[in-house]
Amino acid sequence: MWEGLSCLMRLAMNEGMLRGVKASKSGPQVLHLLFADDCILFSEAASRGANVLKEILRKYRRCSGQCINFEKSTIFFSKNTFEIERRVVVNTLGVRSSNDPEHYLGLPNMRIDHQSTRHLSQGGKEVFIKSILQAIPTYTIACFLLPMALCVEIENIIAKFWWQKGHENGVYTGVRGETYENGGLGFRNISQFNIAMLAKQGWRLITYPNSLLAIVLKAKYYPHSDFFNAQLGNLPSLT
């Protein structure tokens, strides 16, 4: 079904009716990003772009039978979009606007509800750390090189949770203090895991040079070079 929506978006772009977003002047236009049960659509913040996008969604609904849930949809504007243009687009599409894309993407924080976890056994804590705490920053770690101080802070949060007193008469159970540092329980070293995830991204750029990600990053950061010889340049983004 998503392929139909993708075709409608590309057709509108080829006819000059719809404009996507570009990460650089020489880079390709990005019209949409498709996920398992969600999608992100890009368009110019103007009445024309909003009407074209609304018509595309109407055609998609009529052909596929899938209705867009506008109550659960959110629109984000660039900071240089005028307020009057924002109101026009919001009223045309009938969706709410937000200035917090991180909240929409569901990026969580590292707060721990000690009331709900204080009665976990050491085995339960181990599962909680591996399946929840160490999984929380994975998305960010796969895209950005975190400062060492931040990696240490995350590990301190995990270590504090691991060594806090449980319900077994307030006695620490499990492993010796150095076991966490040595990865004896399979706990990740956040800094090393960060490097490994970024290396995987680099491998993808080299192995799949025709992917959208590779094309966009090459056009912006190393248009006249390759990944191995790319330079940081002036004021590079966190990516």
Side-chain angles (χ1 to χ4, degrees):
M1 292 296 184
W2 285 129
E3 185 61 29
L5 177 62
S6 181
C7 289
L8 290 173
M9 297 283 290
R10 290 197 298 267
L11 180 61
M13 182 188 70
N14 293 335
E15 294 178 350
M17 301 173 60
L18 191 65
R19 291 168 53 191
V21 64
K22 299 178 69 174
S24 59
K25 291 183 179 179
S26 59
Q29 290 189 43
V30 179
L31 291 172
H32 55 281
L33 298 174
L34 305 179
F35 304 92
D37 57 352
D38 206 349
C39 68
I40 300 177
L41 308 179
F42 299 94
S43 177
E44 58 183 324
S47 175
R48 179 192 179 192
N51 281 299
V52 171
L53 195 58
K54 186 175 182 180
E55 178 63 18
I56 289 175
L57 295 176
R58 187 188 66 81
K59 289 181 179 179
Y60 175 74
R61 180 186 62 187
R62 185 178 61 189
C63 295
S64 68
Q66 291 186 332
C67 298
I68 307 299
N69 191 333
F70 290 101
E71 293 183 357
K72 293 184 178 180
S73 301
T74 308
I75 187 169
F76 305 98
F77 296 94
S78 63
K79 295 181 179 179
N80 59 356
T81 305
F82 294 112
E83 184 61 31
I84 186 171
E85 294 175 333
R86 297 183 183 219
R87 289 199 298 266
V88 169
V89 173
V90 168
N91 292 333
T92 300
L93 295 176
V95 297
R96 66 180 185 273
S97 63
S98 174
N99 295 320
D100 186 13
E102 288 81 8
H103 177 73
Y104 171 76
L105 292 173
L107 302 183
N109 54 42
M110 289 290 292
R111 291 188 302 175
I112 301 174
D113 182 4
H114 292 288
Q115 292 298 322
S116 61
T117 60
R118 62 178 179 174
H119 296 301
L120 288 176
S121 64
Q122 290 303 114
K125 287 181 180 181
E126 179 182 349
V127 173
F128 185 81
I129 288 173
K130 291 180 178 179
S131 61
I132 303 297
L133 297 185
Q134 291 191 333
I136 285 175
T138 299
Y139 173 84
T140 304
I141 283 175
C143 299
F144 308 109
L145 180 62
L146 301 185
M148 181 61 67
L150 179 57
C151 295
V152 173
E153 181 179 351
I154 294 174
E155 290 180 345
N156 287 340
I157 292 174
I158 295 174
K160 182 179 179 180
F161 171 73
W162 171 257
W163 289 113
Q164 71 178 354
K165 293 182 180 181
H167 67 288
E168 300 175 359
N169 300 321
V171 178
Y172 291 123
T173 59
V175 296
R176 295 176 300 170
E178 69 271 12
T179 305
Y180 173 81
E181 294 294 335
N182 296 334
L185 287 172
F187 295 159
R188 293 168 178 162
N189 179 297
I190 300 299
S191 178
Q192 294 178 4
F193 182 58
N194 189 188
I195 296 296
M197 292 294 287
L198 293 178
K200 182 178 179 180
Q201 295 286 16
W203 176 83
R204 290 181 59 194
L205 295 178
I206 297 169
T207 308
Y208 303 102
N210 296 323
S211 65
L212 178 61
L213 176 65
I215 294 174
V216 169
L217 293 183
K218 178 175 174 56
K220 183 172 179 62
Y221 295 112
Y222 48 98
H224 307 298
S225 178
D226 56 28
F227 178 78
F228 288 107
N229 298 303
Q231 303 295 316
L232 283 178
N234 296 322
L235 299 176
S237 72
L238 294 176
T239 302

